[in-house]
Every structure is written in C-alpha cells, then in structure tokens.
Amino acid sequence: MSRKRPPGVAWRPRRSARNVAHALLTGVLRDGRSLGASARGRFDARLDPRERAFAQELVFGTLRHLPRLEAWLAHITPRPPEDAGLRALALLGLYQLAFTRVPSHAAVNTSVELARSIGKSWAAGFVNATLRRFATERDAIERMELAAPARLSHPSWLLAEFEHAWPDAWESIARANLERPPMTLRVGTDRIARQDYIGALSKRGIAARATRHSASGVILEAPCPVERLPGFDDGLVSVQDEAAQLAATLLDTPQDGRVLDACAAPGGKTGHMLELGADGLELVALDNAPRRIEDLRKTLSRLGFTARVALGDAGKPRGWWDGRPFDCILLDAPCSGTGVIRRRPDIKLLRRPGDIDVMVERQGAMLRALWPLLVRGGRLLYATCSVLPRENERVVESFLATRADAAPVRIDAAWGRPTGPGRQILPGDDAMDGFFYAALAKR
C-alpha cells in the first residue's frame, strides 16, 4: 500500500549527491554565487549524511582543483563547452576519475546518467567520450607540463600576491590550499574536560587527538556528520578551526567586563568568549546582515548562552552603540579569505584583484571607528583569515601611525611567525587555517 503524504505537502523527488554537487558547481561557474550562499538549503534532510558528505566532497574538491581540471579538459577537447551546466558535468566527472576512489566505469556511467537526469541528454555522448578518453590517457595527461596557475590550481594574480608576500613560502601556501582541511572541534571546557570528551568520541568509534595550541581543541582523524558528535545539539562542542580558537584567549576576555564582538556571525568566537567568561560578562555580538544574525542567534541558542545581539555596521557605531565603552573589542575584520581557501575554494574563482583594495579601506575604517569605543587600558584584537600583509600588518601599522594612544601588545606564542605588530599563521601550519592576529592596547 502506498503511503499518502499529508495534505498540502508537495512531493519533491529525492536528490542524489551528484545532482546537488552539479547544481552547486553550476551556480558558482555560471552565476558567480559563493558556495556558502548556494549551499544554504541544498544539504537538507533529503540527503542522508553519507550522500551529503559525498556531495560536499565532489563540489569542494572540484573547485579546489578547478584550474588543473580545466587545463585537462582543454587538452581533451580543444573547444571546451561554453554551457556552464555541461562544463560542470565534465569537471565533476574528471575530478572523480583523478582524485577519488570512485571506479572509472562508475564515474563515467553516473556522469552520463546525470546528464540525462538534468535534461541534457544531448550532452551524454560528449560527457561519455571526454571522460573515457581521460580514463584511457590518464597517466600521460597527468604528467603534462602545466604553467603554475594550472599546476597549483590558483589564478595567476593570487599566486603573484603570495609570492610577493611570502617569497620563501608562496608555493607551500598554494599547495596547502589544495588539501582537504581537518575537522576541528572546540570543546566547551566549562562543562567537560577536553580529554573526557576525546574519550566520549572514542566510545562512538571516532578517533581524535588534542590540538597543539588551543587548550580546548580536538582534531578528528576523519570528518564525520555533526549528528554523530556527542552532545553537539546540547552545545557541548562546536566545529571551529584551531586558529580561530586562539582569538578568545588572545583577547584576554575579562571575567565580568563589557566586550564587543564585531562581525560576530556565525558566533563561534562569541561562544568561546562566553565560555571563558563569568556570569557577569556582558557581551555585545554585532553583525550587519540579517541572515548572519539569524545564524548567530542559532549558535548562541545551541550553546545555551545569552548575549546582546545587534544588527549594525561596525564602521558606523552611531546606529547601534549605546554610548557605554567596552573593556575589550574583537574585530574579526571582513577580508579576502585567502587563509581559508582550503575550506572555501570558490574564493579563488570569485575574488578579483581589485577586491583587496576595497577590503583594506573597509578594514581601516572599522578599526578607526571602533577604537573610540574602547576604555583606556582596554584591548582590541584585530583578526583576519587572510595571508596578505596589506590586509594585516600594514592595516595595523597604518592605524598605529595615526593614534598616539594605541600601542601594540607583543604576542609571544609557539604558533605562527611574527609579522610587524602581529603574528601570522600560514595555511597548513600545525594543520591550522591561515590567520593573522594583532593585539592593541589603549594607553
């Protein structure tokens, strides 16, 4: 007997991982949409955890290696398809053949079936011929001499930025960006000891180890759905890279002071500061996008914390500040994201050279606008997930040159490397994302 659906509920077909991956990749290639915006709602309940993980692997992996895959495609077919949907089909198939354990015949056949399922039956022959040729000539194609942008799968302008900033490490930065990032957790140590949580993971068959620099971090040996993590829904643990976990301790959050988390969404650092603070800590979490505010509220609700959540622009305090100064301010400034490309590989495709100048101007404006909100003797932590000096130490140096009441606070740490008034972590250092931190004290 067939199961009837409730009245008013429309039937929606169950989507496969490959369908979802194709839709996401096409959105990035054709419409220039960020992967984060495109993925919202795609990885839903109609995909079970394994299918969801496979869809993420396909689309993220294809974007990580996109320039190399496109070079191979151009070699196989001198006139690559202009249709973004067809291009996405071919690229997803090539990625499966070159970088996954999917058997060659399965990668080819499922790609042909996918062409038909999305209404491109006319392209099935092209997809079949392209992938079969790669499978036959794979060794020769993979040994082809490629220019640096294709070989390292980065646009030439971004490689030039890396080389200028880090002449001894630019290629290792690019290679680190091609790696699959680890799944790192932050344990709520106000509720459970880190080693006890590692034990709880072990009981569920999840292998993990403690991070090197964060006292509350845990790295999983292999990623897993958050549904499998003990206590995740109850706020016992959060997914957060180790480099991002360093912010709350660097800020030296007072136990009962007043703290501003500017650009706070999705709320990982906000939650960490509240974990480290006492009940008397008053925290204002600010962001300028309603959708990101929604994510911030969800994070706080899951963690069981309360904070004053404000919608506003960190560069224009008049619209949201109540006039009372803050003891500490965290400015996690909007940036190029060049330190987290391994987690957001679409950055390489969507970012443009002129974007950096716009970012630098905005970062400086935010820093200048927030400084008057800080009490004398207070601390401001400037942070980005960028590896470009002009977004990092140069922004801070420019600010310090104009403020006699601002002084850099030396960061003595076993992580990263000193860069001007701050400290830089490069992608892959101790398995961390690329981050920059500079602490400033108000005289």
Side-chain angles (χ1 to χ4, degrees), residues 265 286-296 310-313 362:
L286 176 75
D287 211 275
N288 68 347
R291 177 173 285 181
R292 290 173 59 80
I293 286 288
E294 179 185 344
D295 293 339
L296 175 58
L311 176 64
D313 186 344
R362 188 178 181 193

Side-chain angles (χ1 to χ4, degrees), residues 16-23 54-55 58 92 96 102 106-107 110-111 114:
S16 73
R18 289 181 174 85
N19 282 99
V20 171
H22 179 267
F54 186 49
L58 290 181
L92 285 168
Q96 292 175 73
V102 176
T110 54
S111 296
L114 180 59

Side-chain angles (χ1 to χ4, degrees), residues 279-290:
D279 291 340
L281 180 66
E282 181 186 355
L283 193 146
V284 177
L286 176 75
D287 211 275
N288 68 347

Side-chain angles (χ1 to χ4, degrees), residues 310-332:
L311 176 64
D313 186 344
K316 299 176 181 178
R318 181 176 297 180
W320 52 267
W321 185 42
D322 61 6
R324 294 187 294 145
F326 296 96
D327 298 288
C328 289
I329 296 175
L330 170 61
L331 173 55
D332 190 359

Side-chain angles (χ1 to χ4, degrees), residues 214-250:
S214 169
S216 54
V218 170
I219 300 179
L220 304 188
E221 293 298 324
C224 75
V226 294
E227 296 90 342
R228 288 191 60 202
L229 299 176
F232 179 82
D233 289 339
D234 299 324
L236 197 61
V237 66
S238 299
V239 179
Q240 187 181 41
D241 186 77
E242 184 181 9
Q245 294 181 33
L246 302 174
T249 51
L250 287 173

